[in-house]
Amino acid sequence: MKKEVLEKSRMYKIFNEITLKHEIIIFGSTFTANFPFYELTKKYLLSNAIYNRSIDGLTISEADKILNDCVFDAKPDKIFYSFEADSMDMDLYKDILHKTQAALPSAKIYVLSVQASASDSLNTMLKLMCADYNAEFIDIDYTKSYEAIYRQLTPFFRSKKITFSEALQMA
């Protein structure tokens, strides 16, 4: 495992001691590691806390080994997984979903689509995997801006129904 991954994992484990429980964890690799969740959350004023536990260049194999420190210890109610296509190992991804369900049985699991030249077949496999594991697949349009992608994800972040004024703000 890369040194940077271990260091980040240890840091997230420490952060989990001060995070609010029953909130939202984003866990993935490069795309979500570089995504400006915090800035956009301030702009759109969500009532839930979002903790980004993504690590640039993280592989699924590495992610499988650090789930406790990065995800489970925070005790989230919602978990968003997003891994790069080049590290895709469907058996390990299934293992991650299985471990998540065992550790956090009431948590809602979301899997973001991949962006890659071969993404159609990978995304089809991800959709089928989600159906098997009672997870929700979110097909992201990666050609859009970060803000547009964030607006697409916002309904999944909420724990209560959206108000009319909030809907107008997201439009």
Side-chain angles (χ1 to χ4, degrees):
M1 186 174 312
K2 295 182 290 264
K3 180 182 175 184
E4 305 84 38
V5 171
L6 283 173
E7 289 173 359
K8 280 273 193 179
S9 171
R10 288 183 190 124
M11 180 183 71
Y12 290 148
K13 184 173 184 61
I14 293 167
F15 286 172
N16 287 339
E17 295 174 16
I18 60 170
T19 61
L20 298 171
K21 304 305 179 208
H22 309 292
E23 294 296 332
I24 299 168
I25 292 286
I26 310 289
F27 185 56
S29 49
T30 304
F31 177 77
T32 49
N34 296 315
F35 197 93
F37 285 105
Y38 300 116
E39 292 82 356
L40 291 166
T41 299
K42 294 292 182 197
K43 180 176 181 177
Y44 289 100
L45 302 173
L46 288 180
S47 59
N48 296 88
I50 298 175
Y51 300 103
N52 191 352
R53 298 295 191 252
S54 301
I55 301 172
D56 197 20
L58 183 71
T59 67
I60 288 185
S61 175
E62 293 167 329
D64 186 50
K65 294 176 182 134
I66 60 173
L67 283 170
N68 284 330
D69 294 348
C70 295
V71 180
F72 302 159
D73 288 349
K75 300 192 179 1
D77 279 349
K78 293 184 179 186
I79 304 153
F80 290 78
Y81 288 122
S82 175
F83 298 103
E84 308 300 314
D86 59 357
S87 78
M88 196 59 61
D89 178 325
M90 293 307 291
D91 289 332
L92 273 177
Y93 216 142
K94 289 175 184 178
D95 190 46
I96 287 172
L97 295 186
H98 178 73
K99 287 177 181 177
T100 303
Q101 289 174 329
L104 302 165
S106 63
K108 181 70 178 148
I109 303 168
Y110 300 89
V111 173
L112 275 57
S113 62
V114 297
Q115 74 180 50
S117 57
S119 64
D120 287 345
S121 61
L122 280 174
N123 284 327
T124 298
M125 290 190 313
L126 287 173
K127 283 180 199 176
L128 293 171
M129 178 188 71
C130 286
D132 290 342
Y133 287 88
N134 197 27
E136 189 162 341
F137 178 79
I138 303 173
D139 194 7
I140 300 296
D141 183 352
Y142 290 100
T143 64
K144 294 191 174 187
S145 69
Y146 281 138
E147 190 166 3
I149 293 170
Y150 185 85
R151 283 195 311 261
Q152 181 184 356
L153 292 172
T154 300
F156 300 102
F157 293 155
R158 300 183 171 284
S159 56
K160 59 183 181 182
K161 292 186 179 194
I162 190 168
T163 66
F164 182 71
S165 63
E166 290 169 331
L168 288 176
Q169 183 184 22
M170 285 187 271

